[in-house]
PDB file of all heavy atoms in Angstrom:
ATOM      1  N   ALA H   1       0.814  -1.187  -0.025  1.00  0.00           N
ATOM      2  CA  ALA H   1       0.024   0.012   0.061  1.00  0.00           C
ATOM      3  C   ALA H   1       0.875   1.258  -0.006  1.00  0.00           C
ATOM      4  O   ALA H   1       0.582   2.263  -0.790  1.00  0.00           O
ATOM      5  CB  ALA H   1      -0.929   0.000   1.240  1.00  0.00           C
ATOM      6  N   LYS H   2       1.916   1.264   0.792  1.00  0.00           N
ATOM      7  CA  LYS H   2       2.771   2.360   0.821  1.00  0.00           C
ATOM      8  C   LYS H   2       3.584   2.608  -0.440  1.00  0.00           C
ATOM      9  O   LYS H   2       3.769   3.728  -0.860  1.00  0.00           O
ATOM     10  CB  LYS H   2       3.777   2.272   2.034  1.00  0.00           C
ATOM     11  CG  LYS H   2       3.105   2.202   3.422  1.00  0.00           C
ATOM     12  CD  LYS H   2       2.434   3.519   3.815  1.00  0.00           C
ATOM     13  CE  LYS H   2       1.777   3.535   5.184  1.00  0.00           C
ATOM     14  NZ  LYS H   2       2.655   3.250   6.291  1.00  0.00           N
ATOM     15  N   LYS H   3       3.943   1.511  -1.089  1.00  0.00           N
ATOM     16  CA  LYS H   3       4.661   1.583  -2.331  1.00  0.00           C
ATOM     17  C   LYS H   3       3.763   2.149  -3.392  1.00  0.00           C
ATOM     18  O   LYS H   3       4.247   2.897  -4.345  1.00  0.00           O
ATOM     19  CB  LYS H   3       5.146   0.180  -2.750  1.00  0.00           C
ATOM     20  CG  LYS H   3       6.371  -0.305  -2.020  1.00  0.00           C
ATOM     21  CD  LYS H   3       6.834  -1.676  -2.489  1.00  0.00           C
ATOM     22  CE  LYS H   3       7.975  -2.199  -1.718  1.00  0.00           C
ATOM     23  NZ  LYS H   3       8.348  -3.591  -2.195  1.00  0.00           N
ATOM     24  N   LEU H   4       2.500   1.902  -3.317  1.00  0.00           N
ATOM     25  CA  LEU H   4       1.472   2.408  -4.344  1.00  0.00           C
ATOM     26  C   LEU H   4       1.207   3.896  -4.084  1.00  0.00           C
ATOM     27  O   LEU H   4       0.567   4.525  -4.923  1.00  0.00           O
ATOM     28  CB  LEU H   4       0.236   1.606  -4.254  1.00  0.00           C
ATOM     29  CG  LEU H   4       0.287   0.129  -4.849  1.00  0.00           C
ATOM     30  CD1 LEU H   4      -0.934  -0.601  -4.393  1.00  0.00           C
ATOM     31  CD2 LEU H   4       0.432   0.206  -6.302  1.00  0.00           C
ATOM     32  N   GLY H   5       1.599   4.408  -2.905  1.00  0.00           N
ATOM     33  CA  GLY H   5       1.439   5.796  -2.628  1.00  0.00           C
ATOM     34  C   GLY H   5       0.541   6.122  -1.477  1.00  0.00           C
ATOM     35  O   GLY H   5       0.399   7.294  -1.115  1.00  0.00           O
ATOM     36  N   ALA H   6      -0.038   5.128  -0.932  1.00  0.00           N
ATOM     37  CA  ALA H   6      -0.973   5.387   0.293  1.00  0.00           C
ATOM     38  C   ALA H   6      -0.201   6.051   1.435  1.00  0.00           C
ATOM     39  O   ALA H   6       0.972   5.651   1.700  1.00  0.00           O
ATOM     40  CB  ALA H   6      -1.556   4.027   0.762  1.00  0.00           C
ATOM     41  N   HIS H   7      -0.858   6.993   2.098  1.00  0.00           N
ATOM     42  CA  HIS H   7      -0.141   7.688   3.194  1.00  0.00           C
ATOM     43  C   HIS H   7      -0.366   6.932   4.508  1.00  0.00           C
ATOM     44  O   HIS H   7       0.556   7.059   5.389  1.00  0.00           O
ATOM     45  CB  HIS H   7      -0.837   9.062   3.314  1.00  0.00           C
ATOM     46  CG  HIS H   7      -0.760   9.895   2.050  1.00  0.00           C
ATOM     47  ND1 HIS H   7      -1.777   9.897   1.170  1.00  0.00           N
ATOM     48  CD2 HIS H   7       0.273  10.656   1.507  1.00  0.00           C
ATOM     49  CE1 HIS H   7      -1.415  10.728   0.164  1.00  0.00           C
ATOM     50  NE2 HIS H   7      -0.186  11.176   0.374  1.00  0.00           N
ATOM     51  N   HIS H   8      -1.389   6.139   4.627  1.00  0.00           N
ATOM     52  CA  HIS H   8      -1.672   5.431   5.868  1.00  0.00           C
ATOM     53  C   HIS H   8      -2.255   4.082   5.571  1.00  0.00           C
ATOM     54  O   HIS H   8      -2.765   3.812   4.506  1.00  0.00           O
ATOM     55  CB  HIS H   8      -2.655   6.248   6.781  1.00  0.00           C
ATOM     56  CG  HIS H   8      -2.351   7.701   6.902  1.00  0.00           C
ATOM     57  ND1 HIS H   8      -1.303   8.175   7.645  1.00  0.00           N
ATOM     58  CD2 HIS H   8      -2.913   8.836   6.354  1.00  0.00           C
ATOM     59  CE1 HIS H   8      -1.268   9.492   7.656  1.00  0.00           C
ATOM     60  NE2 HIS H   8      -2.176   9.918   6.830  1.00  0.00           N
ATOM     61  N   PHE H   9      -2.217   3.208   6.571  1.00  0.00           N
ATOM     62  CA  PHE H   9      -2.681   1.859   6.449  1.00  0.00           C
ATOM     63  C   PHE H   9      -3.291   1.447   7.786  1.00  0.00           C
ATOM     64  O   PHE H   9      -2.803   1.620   8.823  1.00  0.00           O
ATOM     65  CB  PHE H   9      -1.530   0.914   6.101  1.00  0.00           C
ATOM     66  CG  PHE H   9      -1.976  -0.505   5.835  1.00  0.00           C
ATOM     67  CD1 PHE H   9      -2.325  -0.907   4.530  1.00  0.00           C
ATOM     68  CD2 PHE H   9      -2.043  -1.490   6.883  1.00  0.00           C
ATOM     69  CE1 PHE H   9      -2.718  -2.188   4.179  1.00  0.00           C
ATOM     70  CE2 PHE H   9      -2.493  -2.761   6.452  1.00  0.00           C
ATOM     71  CZ  PHE H   9      -2.802  -3.140   5.160  1.00  0.00           C
ATOM     72  N   VAL H  10      -4.528   0.792   7.705  1.00  0.00           N
ATOM     73  CA  VAL H  10      -5.276   0.439   8.846  1.00  0.00           C
ATOM     74  C   VAL H  10      -5.642  -1.085   8.660  1.00  0.00           C
ATOM     75  O   VAL H  10      -6.279  -1.370   7.646  1.00  0.00           O
ATOM     76  CB  VAL H  10      -6.494   1.271   9.075  1.00  0.00           C
ATOM     77  CG1 VAL H  10      -7.413   0.685  10.190  1.00  0.00           C
ATOM     78  CG2 VAL H  10      -6.103   2.738   9.478  1.00  0.00           C
ATOM     79  N   VAL H  11      -5.380  -1.836   9.689  1.00  0.00           N
ATOM     80  CA  VAL H  11      -5.759  -3.234   9.698  1.00  0.00           C
ATOM     81  C   VAL H  11      -7.176  -3.300  10.292  1.00  0.00           C
ATOM     82  O   VAL H  11      -7.373  -2.986  11.481  1.00  0.00           O
ATOM     83  CB  VAL H  11      -4.803  -4.128  10.504  1.00  0.00           C
ATOM     84  CG1 VAL H  11      -5.296  -5.578  10.550  1.00  0.00           C
ATOM     85  CG2 VAL H  11      -3.377  -4.036   9.963  1.00  0.00           C
ATOM     86  N   THR H  12      -8.170  -3.645   9.531  1.00  0.00           N
ATOM     87  CA  THR H  12      -9.573  -3.495   9.980  1.00  0.00           C
ATOM     88  C   THR H  12      -9.960  -4.520  11.076  1.00  0.00           C
ATOM     89  O   THR H  12     -10.953  -4.334  11.771  1.00  0.00           O
ATOM     90  CB  THR H  12     -10.537  -3.724   8.802  1.00  0.00           C
ATOM     91  OG1 THR H  12     -10.262  -4.972   8.104  1.00  0.00           O
ATOM     92  CG2 THR H  12     -10.342  -2.579   7.786  1.00  0.00           C
ATOM     93  N   SER H  13      -9.152  -5.547  11.264  1.00  0.00           N
ATOM     94  CA  SER H  13      -9.493  -6.531  12.315  1.00  0.00           C
ATOM     95  C   SER H  13      -8.845  -6.070  13.690  1.00  0.00           C
ATOM     96  O   SER H  13      -9.098  -6.766  14.657  1.00  0.00           O
ATOM     97  CB  SER H  13      -8.877  -7.919  11.875  1.00  0.00           C
ATOM     98  OG  SER H  13      -7.460  -7.814  11.679  1.00  0.00           O
ATOM     99  N   ASP H  14      -8.158  -4.997  13.689  1.00  0.00           N
ATOM    100  CA  ASP H  14      -7.605  -4.456  14.910  1.00  0.00           C
ATOM    101  C   ASP H  14      -8.559  -3.363  15.443  1.00  0.00           C
ATOM    102  O   ASP H  14      -8.569  -2.288  14.956  1.00  0.00           O
ATOM    103  CB  ASP H  14      -6.227  -3.876  14.640  1.00  0.00           C
ATOM    104  CG  ASP H  14      -5.469  -3.408  15.868  1.00  0.00           C
ATOM    105  OD1 ASP H  14      -6.204  -2.986  16.830  1.00  0.00           O
ATOM    106  OD2 ASP H  14      -4.235  -3.380  15.868  1.00  0.00           O
ATOM    107  N   PRO H  15      -9.256  -3.608  16.543  1.00  0.00           N
ATOM    108  CA  PRO H  15     -10.218  -2.667  17.086  1.00  0.00           C
ATOM    109  C   PRO H  15      -9.625  -1.347  17.412  1.00  0.00           C
ATOM    110  O   PRO H  15     -10.207  -0.211  17.268  1.00  0.00           O
ATOM    111  CB  PRO H  15     -10.784  -3.382  18.303  1.00  0.00           C
ATOM    112  CG  PRO H  15     -10.538  -4.778  18.135  1.00  0.00           C
ATOM    113  CD  PRO H  15      -9.249  -4.871  17.320  1.00  0.00           C
ATOM    114  N   GLU H  16      -8.422  -1.307  17.962  1.00  0.00           N
ATOM    115  CA  GLU H  16      -7.734  -0.044  18.299  1.00  0.00           C
ATOM    116  C   GLU H  16      -7.401   0.860  17.074  1.00  0.00           C
ATOM    117  O   GLU H  16      -7.614   2.021  17.112  1.00  0.00           O
ATOM    118  CB  GLU H  16      -6.440  -0.316  19.151  1.00  0.00           C
ATOM    119  CG  GLU H  16      -6.761  -0.921  20.529  1.00  0.00           C
ATOM    120  CD  GLU H  16      -7.648  -0.001  21.322  1.00  0.00           C
ATOM    121  OE1 GLU H  16      -7.303   1.218  21.366  1.00  0.00           O
ATOM    122  OE2 GLU H  16      -8.587  -0.550  21.927  1.00  0.00           O
ATOM    123  N   GLN H  17      -6.910   0.135  16.048  1.00  0.00           N
ATOM    124  CA  GLN H  17      -6.656   0.909  14.795  1.00  0.00           C
ATOM    125  C   GLN H  17      -7.928   1.467  14.185  1.00  0.00           C
ATOM    126  O   GLN H  17      -7.982   2.645  13.699  1.00  0.00           O
ATOM    127  CB  GLN H  17      -5.954   0.090  13.759  1.00  0.00           C
ATOM    128  CG  GLN H  17      -4.505  -0.359  14.125  1.00  0.00           C
ATOM    129  CD  GLN H  17      -3.776  -0.944  13.000  1.00  0.00           C
ATOM    130  OE1 GLN H  17      -3.899  -0.556  11.839  1.00  0.00           O
ATOM    131  NE2 GLN H  17      -2.977  -2.046  13.300  1.00  0.00           N
ATOM    132  N   MET H  18      -9.017   0.737  14.265  1.00  0.00           N
ATOM    133  CA  MET H  18     -10.278   1.174  13.666  1.00  0.00           C
ATOM    134  C   MET H  18     -10.838   2.312  14.512  1.00  0.00           C
ATOM    135  O   MET H  18     -11.378   3.300  14.019  1.00  0.00           O
ATOM    136  CB  MET H  18     -11.255   0.026  13.629  1.00  0.00           C
ATOM    137  CG  MET H  18     -10.929  -0.958  12.549  1.00  0.00           C
ATOM    138  SD  MET H  18     -11.133  -0.379  10.837  1.00  0.00           S
ATOM    139  CE  MET H  18     -12.878  -0.482  10.633  1.00  0.00           C
ATOM    140  N   LYS H  19     -10.717   2.234  15.895  1.00  0.00           N
ATOM    141  CA  LYS H  19     -11.207   3.222  16.749  1.00  0.00           C
ATOM    142  C   LYS H  19     -10.473   4.603  16.506  1.00  0.00           C
ATOM    143  O   LYS H  19     -11.045   5.637  16.578  1.00  0.00           O
ATOM    144  CB  LYS H  19     -11.029   2.872  18.207  1.00  0.00           C
ATOM    145  CG  LYS H  19     -11.534   3.782  19.225  1.00  0.00           C
ATOM    146  CD  LYS H  19     -11.308   3.296  20.701  1.00  0.00           C
ATOM    147  CE  LYS H  19     -11.864   4.298  21.697  1.00  0.00           C
ATOM    148  NZ  LYS H  19     -11.591   3.758  23.048  1.00  0.00           N
ATOM    149  N   ALA H  20      -9.149   4.468  16.220  1.00  0.00           N
ATOM    150  CA  ALA H  20      -8.403   5.660  15.984  1.00  0.00           C
ATOM    151  C   ALA H  20      -8.803   6.437  14.746  1.00  0.00           C
ATOM    152  O   ALA H  20      -8.510   7.648  14.637  1.00  0.00           O
ATOM    153  CB  ALA H  20      -6.880   5.258  15.879  1.00  0.00           C
ATOM    154  N   VAL H  21      -9.482   5.770  13.821  1.00  0.00           N
ATOM    155  CA  VAL H  21      -9.839   6.458  12.514  1.00  0.00           C
ATOM    156  C   VAL H  21     -11.339   6.716  12.439  1.00  0.00           C
ATOM    157  O   VAL H  21     -11.891   7.129  11.408  1.00  0.00           O
ATOM    158  CB  VAL H  21      -9.380   5.753  11.258  1.00  0.00           C
ATOM    159  CG1 VAL H  21      -7.797   5.790  11.173  1.00  0.00           C
ATOM    160  CG2 VAL H  21      -9.858   4.295  11.152  1.00  0.00           C
ATOM    161  N   ALA H  22     -12.066   6.364  13.563  1.00  0.00           N
ATOM    162  CA  ALA H  22     -13.517   6.630  13.506  1.00  0.00           C
ATOM    163  C   ALA H  22     -13.840   8.121  13.229  1.00  0.00           C
ATOM    164  O   ALA H  22     -13.202   8.954  13.893  1.00  0.00           O
ATOM    165  CB  ALA H  22     -14.134   6.142  14.833  1.00  0.00           C
ATOM    166  N   GLY H  23     -14.788   8.401  12.329  1.00  0.00           N
ATOM    167  CA  GLY H  23     -15.212   9.719  12.080  1.00  0.00           C
ATOM    168  C   GLY H  23     -14.239  10.648  11.379  1.00  0.00           C
ATOM    169  O   GLY H  23     -14.268  11.875  11.567  1.00  0.00           O
ATOM    170  N   THR H  24     -13.222  10.053  10.621  1.00  0.00           N
ATOM    171  CA  THR H  24     -12.163  10.861  10.110  1.00  0.00           C
ATOM    172  C   THR H  24     -12.150  11.063   8.650  1.00  0.00           C
ATOM    173  O   THR H  24     -11.450  11.904   8.089  1.00  0.00           O
ATOM    174  CB  THR H  24     -10.790  10.274  10.502  1.00  0.00           C
ATOM    175  OG1 THR H  24     -10.638   8.961   9.978  1.00  0.00           O
ATOM    176  CG2 THR H  24     -10.677  10.203  12.044  1.00  0.00           C
ATOM    177  N   PHE H  25     -12.946  10.231   7.846  1.00  0.00           N
ATOM    178  CA  PHE H  25     -12.868  10.259   6.419  1.00  0.00           C
ATOM    179  C   PHE H  25     -13.912  11.018   5.755  1.00  0.00           C
ATOM    180  O   PHE H  25     -15.133  10.930   6.104  1.00  0.00           O
ATOM    181  CB  PHE H  25     -12.797   8.812   5.888  1.00  0.00           C
ATOM    182  CG  PHE H  25     -11.643   7.981   6.328  1.00  0.00           C
ATOM    183  CD1 PHE H  25     -11.818   6.884   7.134  1.00  0.00           C
ATOM    184  CD2 PHE H  25     -10.380   8.336   5.969  1.00  0.00           C
ATOM    185  CE1 PHE H  25     -10.721   6.104   7.536  1.00  0.00           C
ATOM    186  CE2 PHE H  25      -9.261   7.586   6.389  1.00  0.00           C
ATOM    187  CZ  PHE H  25      -9.473   6.513   7.199  1.00  0.00           C
ATOM    188  N   ASP H  26     -13.628  11.695   4.671  1.00  0.00           N
ATOM    189  CA  ASP H  26     -14.639  12.385   3.890  1.00  0.00           C
ATOM    190  C   ASP H  26     -15.307  11.452   2.958  1.00  0.00           C
ATOM    191  O   ASP H  26     -16.422  11.674   2.565  1.00  0.00           O
ATOM    192  CB  ASP H  26     -13.931  13.520   3.062  1.00  0.00           C
ATOM    193  CG  ASP H  26     -13.245  14.592   3.942  1.00  0.00           C
ATOM    194  OD1 ASP H  26     -13.962  15.302   4.595  1.00  0.00           O
ATOM    195  OD2 ASP H  26     -12.033  14.602   3.860  1.00  0.00           O
ATOM    196  N   PHE H  27     -14.568  10.463   2.554  1.00  0.00           N
ATOM    197  CA  PHE H  27     -15.038   9.581   1.458  1.00  0.00           C
ATOM    198  C   PHE H  27     -14.357   8.189   1.624  1.00  0.00           C
ATOM    199  O   PHE H  27     -13.182   8.067   1.889  1.00  0.00           O
ATOM    200  CB  PHE H  27     -14.550  10.207   0.099  1.00  0.00           C
ATOM    201  CG  PHE H  27     -15.021   9.496  -1.145  1.00  0.00           C
ATOM    202  CD1 PHE H  27     -16.276   9.782  -1.787  1.00  0.00           C
ATOM    203  CD2 PHE H  27     -14.152   8.516  -1.733  1.00  0.00           C
ATOM    204  CE1 PHE H  27     -16.593   9.127  -2.958  1.00  0.00           C
ATOM    205  CE2 PHE H  27     -14.552   7.861  -2.917  1.00  0.00           C
ATOM    206  CZ  PHE H  27     -15.783   8.173  -3.501  1.00  0.00           C
ATOM    207  N   ILE H  28     -15.128   7.177   1.352  1.00  0.00           N
ATOM    208  CA  ILE H  28     -14.595   5.775   1.381  1.00  0.00           C
ATOM    209  C   ILE H  28     -14.960   5.161   0.026  1.00  0.00           C
ATOM    210  O   ILE H  28     -16.132   5.153  -0.396  1.00  0.00           O
ATOM    211  CB  ILE H  28     -15.184   4.944   2.498  1.00  0.00           C
ATOM    212  CG1 ILE H  28     -14.782   5.556   3.912  1.00  0.00           C
ATOM    213  CG2 ILE H  28     -14.827   3.483   2.429  1.00  0.00           C
ATOM    214  CD1 ILE H  28     -15.395   4.832   5.079  1.00  0.00           C
ATOM    215  N   LEU H  29     -13.926   4.552  -0.589  1.00  0.00           N
ATOM    216  CA  LEU H  29     -14.127   3.798  -1.829  1.00  0.00           C
ATOM    217  C   LEU H  29     -13.996   2.372  -1.451  1.00  0.00           C
ATOM    218  O   LEU H  29     -12.945   1.804  -1.106  1.00  0.00           O
ATOM    219  CB  LEU H  29     -13.115   4.191  -2.847  1.00  0.00           C
ATOM    220  CG  LEU H  29     -13.174   3.559  -4.204  1.00  0.00           C
ATOM    221  CD1 LEU H  29     -14.371   3.976  -4.966  1.00  0.00           C
ATOM    222  CD2 LEU H  29     -11.923   3.822  -5.068  1.00  0.00           C
ATOM    223  N   ASP H  30     -15.196   1.644  -1.574  1.00  0.00           N
ATOM    224  CA  ASP H  30     -15.235   0.257  -1.092  1.00  0.00           C
ATOM    225  C   ASP H  30     -15.148  -0.622  -2.342  1.00  0.00           C
ATOM    226  O   ASP H  30     -16.091  -0.742  -3.127  1.00  0.00           O
ATOM    227  CB  ASP H  30     -16.507   0.040  -0.421  1.00  0.00           C
ATOM    228  CG  ASP H  30     -16.672  -1.301   0.278  1.00  0.00           C
ATOM    229  OD1 ASP H  30     -15.889  -2.245  -0.126  1.00  0.00           O
ATOM    230  OD2 ASP H  30     -17.473  -1.511   1.143  1.00  0.00           O
ATOM    231  N   THR H  31     -14.041  -1.335  -2.453  1.00  0.00           N
ATOM    232  CA  THR H  31     -13.803  -2.145  -3.660  1.00  0.00           C
ATOM    233  C   THR H  31     -13.984  -3.630  -3.388  1.00  0.00           C
ATOM    234  O   THR H  31     -13.738  -4.493  -4.354  1.00  0.00           O
ATOM    235  CB  THR H  31     -12.355  -1.931  -4.200  1.00  0.00           C
ATOM    236  OG1 THR H  31     -11.456  -2.560  -3.251  1.00  0.00           O
ATOM    237  CG2 THR H  31     -12.011  -0.485  -4.278  1.00  0.00           C
ATOM    238  N   VAL H  32     -14.477  -3.960  -2.286  1.00  0.00           N
ATOM    239  CA  VAL H  32     -14.533  -5.395  -1.871  1.00  0.00           C
ATOM    240  C   VAL H  32     -15.741  -6.145  -2.388  1.00  0.00           C
ATOM    241  O   VAL H  32     -16.886  -5.634  -2.276  1.00  0.00           O
ATOM    242  CB  VAL H  32     -14.445  -5.574  -0.306  1.00  0.00           C
ATOM    243  CG1 VAL H  32     -14.599  -7.021   0.161  1.00  0.00           C
ATOM    244  CG2 VAL H  32     -13.083  -4.994   0.138  1.00  0.00           C
ATOM    245  N   SER H  33     -15.524  -7.354  -2.968  1.00  0.00           N
ATOM    246  CA  SER H  33     -16.627  -8.125  -3.493  1.00  0.00           C
ATOM    247  C   SER H  33     -17.083  -9.258  -2.540  1.00  0.00           C
ATOM    248  O   SER H  33     -18.101  -9.923  -2.765  1.00  0.00           O
ATOM    249  CB  SER H  33     -16.291  -8.714  -4.866  1.00  0.00           C
ATOM    250  OG  SER H  33     -16.247  -7.653  -5.839  1.00  0.00           O
TER     251      SER H  33
END
């Protein structure tokens, strides 16, 4: 992700990481099938 240019990375199975980004995004692009 970082090589592709992403500034940050969050592991969604980690409750603490998810809590830290709650209410922070303007836009989410969901590509998962």
